[in-house]
Amino acid sequence: MQEVGSRLRVRARVLGLSDAEVARRLGLGATRYANYVNGTREPDFATFLRICQVLETTPNDLLGAGGGQASTPSADVLQRRIEAAAKVMDLHTLLVAAEVVEALVRRTPGGRRD
């Protein structure tokens, strides 16, 4: 179960979520979810399916049966990550981030690529 725990943590990070935030979205205590991530306990089937929903993945991917390819987050997920990060930035950091994003847009021919 340790490998599944590692996949839980990696998938949460891809989505920009902390373990505490995943636990909150699941309605679980942080300690209980930490047991799953650390591989000391296994979630029941219903909880495992809820974890998959929160982490926007499949049971096969978390169990390592997904063909070995990590799924790429969607544009919507990436935008939510950027928005969540921006909400906690101070004014100076937000200004720098805006400049970086604008510079990236200028470097991309045609603006946006999906």
Side-chain angles (χ1 to χ4, degrees), residues 14-16 18 54 59 62 72 75 83 97 100:
V14 166
L15 297 173
S18 67
V54 167
L62 289 181
T72 303
E83 289 169 2
V100 169

Side-chain angles (χ1 to χ4, degrees), residues 2-111:
Q2 186 69 34
E3 293 164 5
V4 172
S6 296
R7 288 187 192 98
L8 292 174
R9 181 161 284 147
V10 167
R11 183 63 189 158
R13 296 309 174 265
V14 166
L15 297 173
L17 301 173
S18 67
D19 291 344
E21 178 60 17
V22 174
R24 187 192 68 74
R25 291 182 182 193
L26 290 167
L28 301 176
T31 302
R32 180 173 170 193
Y33 184 72
N35 286 330
Y36 302 152
V37 173
N38 295 328
T40 55
R41 294 197 174 227
E42 295 180 10
D44 60 44
F45 186 68
T47 302
F48 186 68
L49 291 179
R50 284 193 355 250
I51 291 170
C52 290
Q53 289 175 333
V54 167
L55 295 179
E56 301 176 18
T57 192
T58 67
N60 281 349
D61 284 343
L62 289 181
L63 293 171
Q69 290 183 319
S71 55
T72 303
S74 67
D76 184 52
V77 168
L78 295 173
Q79 287 171 345
R80 285 197 316 259
R81 285 179 60 189
I82 292 168
E83 289 169 2
K87 287 179 182 176
V88 298
M89 291 179 188
D90 61 44
L91 185 57
H92 175 73
T93 306
L94 194 54
L95 176 63
V96 171
E99 290 172 357
V100 169
V101 169
E102 289 165 352
L104 289 170
V105 170
R106 284 193 300 274
R107 288 186 51 126
T108 305

